[in-house]
Coordinates of all heavy atoms in Angstrom, one line a residue:
L1328 N -16.1 10.8 4.6 CA -16.7 11.9 3.9 C -17.8 11.4 2.9 O -18.0 10.2 2.9 CB -15.5 12.6 3.1 CG -14.5 13.3 4.0 CD1 -13.5 14.0 3.1 CD2 -15.1 14.2 5.0
Q1329 N -18.4 12.3 2.2 CA -19.6 11.9 1.5 C -19.4 11.0 0.3 O -20.4 10.4 -0.2 CB -20.3 13.2 1.0 CG -20.9 14.0 2.1 CD -21.6 15.3 1.7 OE1 -21.1 15.9 0.7 NE2 -22.6 15.7 2.3
D1330 N -18.2 10.9 -0.3 CA -18.0 10.1 -1.5 C -17.5 8.7 -1.2 O -16.9 8.0 -2.1 CB -17.1 10.8 -2.4 CG -15.7 11.0 -1.8 OD1 -15.5 10.8 -0.6 OD2 -14.8 11.4 -2.6
T1331 N -17.7 8.2 0.0 CA -17.3 6.8 0.3 C -18.5 5.9 0.2 O -19.6 6.1 0.8 CB -16.8 6.7 1.8 OG1 -15.7 7.7 1.9 CG2 -16.3 5.4 2.1
L1332 N -18.3 4.8 -0.6 CA -19.4 3.8 -0.8 C -19.4 2.8 0.3 O -18.3 2.1 0.6 CB -19.2 3.1 -2.2 CG -20.4 2.3 -2.7 CD1 -21.6 3.2 -2.8 CD2 -20.0 1.6 -4.0
I1333 N -20.5 2.6 1.0 CA -20.6 1.7 2.1 C -21.8 0.8 2.0 O -22.7 1.0 1.3 CB -20.6 2.5 3.5 CG1 -21.9 3.3 3.5 CG2 -19.4 3.3 3.7 CD1 -22.2 4.0 4.8
A1334 N -21.8 -0.3 2.9 CA -22.9 -1.1 3.2 C -23.3 -0.7 4.6 O -22.4 -0.7 5.5 CB -22.7 -2.5 3.1
A1335 N -24.6 -0.4 4.9 CA -25.0 0.1 6.2 C -26.3 -0.5 6.5 O -27.2 -0.7 5.7 CB -25.0 1.6 6.3
D1336 N -26.6 -0.7 7.8 CA -27.9 -1.1 8.3 C -28.6 0.2 8.7 O -28.2 1.3 8.4 CB -27.9 -2.2 9.3 CG -27.2 -1.7 10.7 OD1 -26.9 -0.5 10.8 OD2 -27.0 -2.6 11.5
E1337 N -29.7 0.0 9.4 CA -30.5 1.2 9.8 C -29.9 2.0 10.9 O -30.4 3.1 11.3 CB -31.9 0.8 10.1 CG -32.7 0.2 8.9 CD -34.1 -0.3 9.3 OE1 -34.5 -0.2 10.4 OE2 -34.7 -0.9 8.3
E1338 N -28.8 1.5 11.5 CA -28.1 2.2 12.6 C -26.8 2.9 12.2 O -26.5 4.0 12.6 CB -27.9 1.3 13.8 CG -29.2 0.8 14.4 CD -29.0 -0.1 15.6 OE1 -27.8 -0.5 15.8 OE2 -30.0 -0.4 16.3
S1339 N -25.9 2.1 11.4 CA -24.6 2.6 11.2 C -23.9 1.9 10.0 O -24.4 0.8 9.6 CB -23.7 2.4 12.5 OG -23.7 1.0 12.8
P1340 N -22.8 2.4 9.5 CA -22.0 1.7 8.5 C -21.5 0.3 8.9 O -21.1 0.2 10.1 CB -20.9 2.6 8.2 CG -21.4 4.0 8.6 CD -22.2 3.7 9.8
L1341 N -21.6 -0.7 8.1 CA -21.1 -2.0 8.4 C -19.9 -2.4 7.6 O -19.1 -3.3 8.0 CB -22.2 -3.0 8.1 CG -23.5 -2.9 8.9 CD1 -24.5 -4.0 8.5 CD2 -23.3 -2.9 10.4
C1342 N -19.6 -1.7 6.4 CA -18.5 -2.1 5.6 C -18.1 -1.0 4.7 O -19.0 -0.3 4.1 CB -18.9 -3.4 4.8 SG -17.6 -4.0 3.7
L1343 N -16.8 -0.7 4.6 CA -16.3 0.1 3.5 C -16.1 -0.8 2.3 O -15.2 -1.6 2.2 CB -14.9 0.8 3.9 CG -14.9 1.7 5.1 CD1 -13.5 2.2 5.3 CD2 -15.9 2.8 5.0
L1344 N -17.0 -0.7 1.4 CA -17.1 -1.8 0.3 C -15.8 -1.9 -0.5 O -15.3 -0.9 -0.9 CB -18.3 -1.4 -0.6 CG -19.7 -1.6 0.0 CD1 -20.8 -1.1 -0.9 CD2 -20.0 -3.1 0.3
G1345 N -15.4 -3.1 -0.6 CA -14.2 -3.5 -1.3 C -12.9 -3.3 -0.5 O -11.8 -3.6 -1.0
I1346 N -13.0 -2.8 0.7 CA -11.8 -2.5 1.5 C -11.8 -3.2 2.8 O -10.9 -4.1 3.1 CB -11.7 -1.0 1.7 CG1 -11.5 -0.3 0.3 CG2 -10.4 -0.7 2.6 CD1 -11.5 1.2 0.4
I1347 N -12.8 -2.9 3.7 CA -12.7 -3.6 5.1 C -14.1 -3.4 5.7 O -14.8 -2.5 5.5 CB -11.6 -2.9 5.9 CG1 -11.3 -3.8 7.2 CG2 -12.0 -1.5 6.3 CD1 -10.1 -3.3 7.9
G1348 N -14.4 -4.4 6.5 CA -15.6 -4.4 7.3 C -15.5 -3.8 8.6 O -14.4 -3.4 9.1
S1349 N -16.6 -3.7 9.4 CA -16.6 -3.2 10.7 C -16.7 -4.3 11.7 O -16.9 -5.5 11.4 CB -17.8 -2.3 10.9 OG -19.0 -3.1 11.0
T1350 N -16.4 -3.9 13.0 CA -16.5 -4.9 14.1 C -17.9 -5.2 14.4 O -18.2 -6.3 14.9 CB -15.9 -4.3 15.3 OG1 -16.5 -3.1 15.7 CG2 -14.4 -4.1 15.2
K1351 N -18.9 -4.4 14.0 CA -20.3 -4.5 14.4 C -20.9 -5.8 13.9 O -21.6 -6.5 14.6 CB -21.1 -3.3 14.0 CG -22.5 -3.4 14.4 CD -23.4 -2.2 13.9 CE -24.8 -2.4 14.2 NZ -25.7 -1.3 13.7
A1352 N -20.7 -6.1 12.6 CA -21.3 -7.2 12.0 C -20.4 -8.3 11.7 O -20.6 -9.2 10.8 CB -22.0 -6.8 10.7
A1353 N -19.2 -8.4 12.4 CA -18.2 -9.4 12.2 C -18.7 -10.8 12.7 O -19.4 -10.9 13.7 CB -16.9 -9.0 12.9
C1354 N -18.3 -11.8 12.0 CA -18.6 -13.2 12.4 C -17.7 -13.6 13.6 O -16.6 -13.2 13.7 CB -18.4 -14.1 11.3 SG -19.5 -13.8 9.9
D1355 N -18.3 -14.4 14.5 CA -17.6 -14.9 15.7 C -18.0 -16.3 15.9 O -18.8 -16.9 15.1 CB -17.7 -14.0 16.9 CG -19.2 -13.8 17.3 OD1 -20.0 -14.7 17.1 OD2 -19.5 -12.7 17.7
E1356 N -17.6 -16.9 17.1 CA -17.9 -18.3 17.4 C -19.4 -18.5 17.6 O -19.9 -19.7 17.6 CB -17.1 -18.8 18.6 CG -17.5 -18.1 19.9 CD -16.7 -16.8 20.2 OE1 -16.2 -16.3 19.2 OE2 -16.7 -16.4 21.3
H1357 N -20.2 -17.4 17.8 CA -21.6 -17.6 18.0 C -22.4 -17.4 16.8 O -23.7 -17.5 16.8 CB -22.1 -16.5 19.1 CG -21.3 -16.6 20.4 ND1 -21.4 -17.7 21.2 CD2 -20.5 -15.7 21.0 CE1 -20.7 -17.5 22.3 NE2 -20.1 -16.3 22.2
T1358 N -21.8 -17.1 15.7 CA -22.5 -16.8 14.4 C -23.2 -18.1 13.9 O -22.6 -19.2 13.8 CB -21.5 -16.3 13.3 OG1 -21.0 -15.1 13.8 CG2 -22.2 -16.1 12.0
T1359 N -24.4 -18.0 13.5 CA -25.2 -19.1 13.0 C -25.8 -18.8 11.6 O -26.0 -19.7 10.8 CB -26.4 -19.5 13.9 OG1 -27.2 -18.4 14.1 CG2 -25.8 -20.0 15.2
D1360 N -26.0 -17.5 11.3 CA -26.6 -17.1 10.0 C -25.7 -16.0 9.4 O -25.3 -15.1 10.1 CB -28.0 -16.6 10.2 CG -28.9 -17.5 10.9 OD1 -28.7 -18.8 10.8 OD2 -29.9 -17.1 11.5
I1361 N -25.4 -16.2 8.1 CA -24.5 -15.2 7.5 C -25.0 -14.6 6.2 O -25.9 -15.3 5.6 CB -23.1 -15.9 7.2 CG1 -23.3 -17.1 6.3 CG2 -22.4 -16.2 8.5 CD1 -22.0 -17.7 5.8
L1362 N -24.5 -13.4 5.9 CA -24.8 -12.8 4.6 C -23.5 -12.7 3.9 O -22.5 -12.1 4.4 CB -25.4 -11.4 4.8 CG -25.5 -10.6 3.5 CD1 -26.6 -11.2 2.6 CD2 -25.9 -9.1 3.9
I1363 N -23.4 -13.3 2.7 CA -22.2 -13.2 1.9 C -22.4 -12.2 0.8 O -23.4 -12.1 0.1 CB -21.9 -14.6 1.2 CG1 -21.9 -15.7 2.2 CG2 -20.6 -14.6 0.4 CD1 -21.8 -17.1 1.6
E1364 N -21.3 -11.3 0.6 CA -21.3 -10.3 -0.5 C -20.1 -10.6 -1.4 O -19.0 -10.8 -1.0 CB -21.2 -8.9 0.2 CG -20.8 -7.8 -0.8 CD -19.9 -6.8 -0.2 OE1 -20.2 -6.3 0.9 OE2 -18.8 -6.5 -0.8
S1365 N -20.4 -10.6 -2.7 CA -19.4 -10.8 -3.7 C -19.7 -9.7 -4.8 O -20.8 -9.7 -5.3 CB -19.5 -12.2 -4.4 OG -18.6 -12.3 -5.4
A1366 N -18.8 -8.8 -5.0 CA -19.1 -7.7 -5.8 C -17.9 -7.3 -6.8 O -16.8 -7.8 -6.7 CB -19.4 -6.5 -4.9
L1367 N -18.3 -6.4 -7.7 CA -17.3 -5.7 -8.6 C -17.2 -4.2 -8.2 O -18.3 -3.6 -8.1 CB -17.6 -5.9 -10.0 CG -17.7 -7.4 -10.5 CD1 -18.2 -7.4 -12.0 CD2 -16.4 -8.1 -10.4

């Protein structure tokens, strides 16, 4: 719904902030570059 705070790229939501991430941007054995988020 509209009151959910997320991180999203230009295509779709990537993370319900503070709760859980999506499969789309998850790290795997092929990951070489990462973005770290630390928040309040």
Side-chain angles (χ1 to χ4, degrees):
L1328 297 184
Q1329 289 179 326
D1330 60 349
T1331 304
L1332 192 61
I1333 62 169
D1336 64 8
E1337 294 177 1
E1338 293 183 351
S1339 60
L1341 301 179
C1342 182
L1343 300 181
L1344 289 172
I1346 298 176
I1347 195 169
S1349 74
T1350 55
K1351 179 183 174 183
C1354 296
D1355 55 35
E1356 67 272 17
H1357 304 297
T1358 298
T1359 57
D1360 304 332
I1361 59 174
L1362 171 69
I1363 306 170
E1364 167 216 307
S1365 178
L1367 300 176

